[in-house]
Amino acid sequence: MINTEKEWITYLQDKENLYLYGAGKRAQYCLYYCKKSGIKVDGLLVSHRAHNPLEKEGLPVLALDELDETGLAASDLHVVVTLAGGMKQWLDEFCQMPHFKSLLFISDRLYSEWNRRTLQYRYEDKQNRYRLEVEYPEMEPEQGLVVERASGQAILRLPLHARQGMLQPLLDFGTRKEFEREFGPLRLVPKVTGDGITSLAAKQEKIEIYVATSHMDKARAEEIRQGAYLPIQVGASLTDVRKGCLTDHTGDHISHRNRDYCECTGLYWIWKNTSGQAYVGLAHYRRRLKLDDGSVAYIKEQGIDLVVGHPQFEMETIREFFARYIYSRDWTLLKEVVCGYDRGYADCFARYEEGHFYFPCNVALWKREWFDRYCRFAFDVASQIDTFYQERGILREDRYMGYLFEQLSTLFIMRHNQDIRTACTQIRWIV
């Protein structure tokens, strides 16, 4: 079984009489990928003629009982099995077939790589302004980036696990122009070369980025505590385990609600128990904004009020996408409370829920005055939604508030895009 793209290319690039077994969608992906990789496929094989085409992508499709008529001997063929289920499902059946020269099965891992590459190639075939990065350094698993060809800068994140059917929505909506239509200018932090914001820059510019970590995370506090980064243990009131850092269960806090609010119990603690920073932010122990001292200089020079991760693109509308993670009642309540906040939010929400972008992960670095304004808005809305369930005696503990805060931060940015100067950078995934 071939498991990786590199193994695939190395093994098959010089093979003669290479055939694919199967003529369905997996075979189509395989053909496309082979073409782009310079691998010559001579045809396709199927078990029987019924319901199968005579050709695919200009190549002959042969039933096994037609091999003799073509003069081909099974023992001369290298065959790649593209059928779903892999070796575990099909090995017994192939043991009953003619003896092929070599019989290769596709692992799920390799098929996943094919899917990524096929999306990349098909997307780049359709336009020449952007390219897709499907294996970007420090990117979290199953995430890719839309990159501008001219500048070489990433502008959008996109989920690679949802690639089936993504191509057309990505071509239609996944552009800088479409994003800016709703959110204003897309500013990008210049290329980051350093490894985080140093202690000196953090002290001089009064920058604090709190990193939410829990007692179950592998990262130790001393590994997180560097430069501008300050670890804070969230959900501390729910355990006796201590990580040797700040905790979110002192002072004015909602630590006991961590199972609903996730990292946002840390956000609340920062809002209520700290002050005096020029910039303050939140990160996760595995997700950090990619910034360095050069980024700090850019933020100052450009008068940036907020740094967030690249906007996340989804092929469905935002309302449809989040229906996977939160209940329809949550969305209804969110819409009612936000739209009642002021007329501007009502207009934003209507556009937002039919759009394709949001700012992910509750990871951001705010100028302190904007941070306070955002928290007042977000926790006001959250408390009203929270009250709805508490009055009915409904215990959630299903992370729903964490998802809602992604909506609230995005709506806040959209609502104030004329006043708040926002810049984007990569969210770095810490392995």
Side-chain angles (χ1 to χ4, degrees), residues 181-231:
R181 188 169 65 85
E182 300 295 350
F183 291 90
L186 178 61
R187 301 179 187 88
L188 302 170
V189 172
K191 184 176 181 181
V192 176
T193 56
D195 187 20
I197 300 172
T198 65
S199 299
L200 179 60
K203 184 177 181 180
Q204 288 178 338
E205 305 302 335
K206 297 182 179 180
I207 298 172
E208 291 180 352
I209 303 174
Y210 291 81
V211 181
T213 182
S214 81
H215 68 284
M216 294 184 291
D217 297 335
K218 295 179 181 178
R220 299 191 303 273
E222 55 268 29
E223 295 173 324
I224 297 172
R225 189 185 294 109
Q226 52 182 302
Y229 295 108
L230 302 171

Side-chain angles (χ1 to χ4, degrees), residues 187-392:
R187 301 179 187 88
L188 302 170
V189 172
K191 184 176 181 181
V192 176
T193 56
D195 187 20
I197 300 172
T198 65
S199 299
L200 179 60
K203 184 177 181 180
Q204 288 178 338
E205 305 302 335
K206 297 182 179 180
I207 298 172
E208 291 180 352
I209 303 174
Y210 291 81
V211 181
T213 182
S214 81
H215 68 284
M216 294 184 291
D217 297 335
K218 295 179 181 178
R220 299 191 303 273
E222 55 268 29
E223 295 173 324
I224 297 172
R225 189 185 294 109
Q226 52 182 302
Y229 295 108
L230 302 171
I232 179 169
Q233 182 180 342
V234 296
S237 67
L238 302 176
T239 178
D240 293 330
V241 178
R242 294 289 173 261
K243 298 195 69 169
C245 60
L246 292 168
T247 59
D248 70 346
H249 76 315
T250 61
D252 188 348
H253 71 86
I254 55 170
S255 178
H256 59 289
R257 300 300 311 283
N258 181 258
R259 293 191 180 101
D260 280 328
Y261 280 78
C262 304
E263 65 276 354
C264 295
T265 60
L267 187 74
Y268 184 91
W269 188 91
I270 299 164
W271 177 39
K272 291 295 187 178
N273 298 282
T274 74
S275 61
Q277 309 96 331
Y279 288 88
V280 62
L282 181 69
H284 306 174
Y285 89 102
R286 298 192 74 176
R287 294 183 180 97
R288 319 266 179 90
L289 292 176
K290 194 166 184 180
L291 299 168
D292 61 7
D293 289 1
S295 308
V296 174
Y298 167 81
I299 290 168
K300 285 186 63 180
E301 291 166 3
Q302 298 298 315
I304 300 300
D305 299 306
L306 168 65
V307 182
V308 287
H310 291 120
Q312 182 83 19
F313 172 83
E314 297 295 343
M315 66 177 184
E316 311 106 314
T317 66
I318 293 300
R319 185 186 65 256
E320 292 168 337
F321 170 71
F322 275 98
R324 303 180 200 171
Y325 303 102
I326 57 178
Y327 297 118
S328 59
R329 169 61 67 180
D330 297 333
W331 193 268
T332 300
L333 286 169
L334 177 70
K335 186 172 184 176
E336 288 175 357
V337 178
V338 168
C339 290
Y341 207 85
D342 67 39
R343 185 175 298 175
Y345 276 111
D347 178 59
C348 285
F349 204 104
R351 291 182 284 117
Y352 172 63
E353 67 177 348
E354 295 301 325
H356 295 265
F357 305 100
Y358 72 99
F359 291 105
C361 305
N362 296 313
V363 172
L365 177 64
W366 300 80
K367 188 173 280 188
R368 180 70 207 211
E369 53 263 38
W370 278 107
F371 176 77
D372 290 336
R373 287 182 63 178
Y374 163 61
C375 287
R376 281 194 296 271
F377 160 71
F379 285 103
D380 185 1
V381 172
S383 69
Q384 294 182 59
I385 296 171
D386 210 358
T387 298
F388 174 88
Y389 289 112
Q390 288 191 34
E391 288 178 345
R392 287 156 180 78

Side-chain angles (χ1 to χ4, degrees), residues 63-277:
L64 290 179
D65 59 9
E66 296 172 341
L67 282 178
D68 290 341
E69 301 172 17
T70 64
L72 290 171
S75 58
D76 292 332
L77 306 184
H78 296 278
V79 177
V80 176
V81 180
T82 66
L83 304 176
M87 184 183 294
K88 185 175 182 180
Q89 181 171 335
W90 296 102
L91 185 59
D92 286 346
E93 182 166 333
F94 276 95
C95 285
Q96 310 303 317
M97 292 183 183
H99 177 68
F100 296 108
K101 187 172 185 177
S102 67
L103 188 65
L104 302 176
F105 289 85
I106 300 166
S107 69
D108 289 341
R109 177 182 174 185
L110 179 56
Y111 185 63
S112 181
E113 287 190 44
W114 274 358
N115 271 328
R116 290 198 299 270
R117 292 297 183 191
T118 301
L119 174 63
Q120 178 185 32
Y121 293 146
R122 288 190 181 279
Y123 175 73
E124 293 175 359
D125 281 348
K126 295 288 186 179
Q127 50 78 52
N128 55 21
R129 184 173 181 181
Y130 305 104
R131 60 183 171 83
L132 288 189
E133 288 281 1
V134 297
E135 292 179 342
Y136 202 82
E138 299 182 320
M139 198 70 183
E140 86 183 73
E142 292 301 315
Q143 287 285 335
L145 291 172
V146 175
V147 179
E148 286 183 322
R149 290 183 185 273
S151 67
Q153 289 184 300
I155 62 167
L156 303 173
R157 291 165 41 116
L158 73 156
L160 295 175
H161 61 269
R163 52 193 165 265
Q164 197 79 346
M166 178 182 277
L167 179 60
Q168 198 57 51
L170 186 57
L171 290 168
D172 291 341
F173 305 110
T175 67
R176 177 190 280 262
K177 181 179 179 181
E178 186 70 17
F179 170 84
E180 291 183 337
R181 188 169 65 85
E182 300 295 350
F183 291 90
L186 178 61
R187 301 179 187 88
L188 302 170
V189 172
K191 184 176 181 181
V192 176
T193 56
D195 187 20
I197 300 172
T198 65
S199 299
L200 179 60
K203 184 177 181 180
Q204 288 178 338
E205 305 302 335
K206 297 182 179 180
I207 298 172
E208 291 180 352
I209 303 174
Y210 291 81
V211 181
T213 182
S214 81
H215 68 284
M216 294 184 291
D217 297 335
K218 295 179 181 178
R220 299 191 303 273
E222 55 268 29
E223 295 173 324
I224 297 172
R225 189 185 294 109
Q226 52 182 302
Y229 295 108
L230 302 171
I232 179 169
Q233 182 180 342
V234 296
S237 67
L238 302 176
T239 178
D240 293 330
V241 178
R242 294 289 173 261
K243 298 195 69 169
C245 60
L246 292 168
T247 59
D248 70 346
H249 76 315
T250 61
D252 188 348
H253 71 86
I254 55 170
S255 178
H256 59 289
R257 300 300 311 283
N258 181 258
R259 293 191 180 101
D260 280 328
Y261 280 78
C262 304
E263 65 276 354
C264 295
T265 60
L267 187 74
Y268 184 91
W269 188 91
I270 299 164
W271 177 39
K272 291 295 187 178
N273 298 282
T274 74
S275 61
Q277 309 96 331

Side-chain angles (χ1 to χ4, degrees), residues 12-27:
L12 294 178
Q13 61 185 351
D14 297 322
K15 292 291 185 291
E16 296 181 355
N17 292 328
L18 178 62
Y19 280 73
L20 308 183
Y21 193 93
K25 186 162 285 188
R26 289 170 70 104

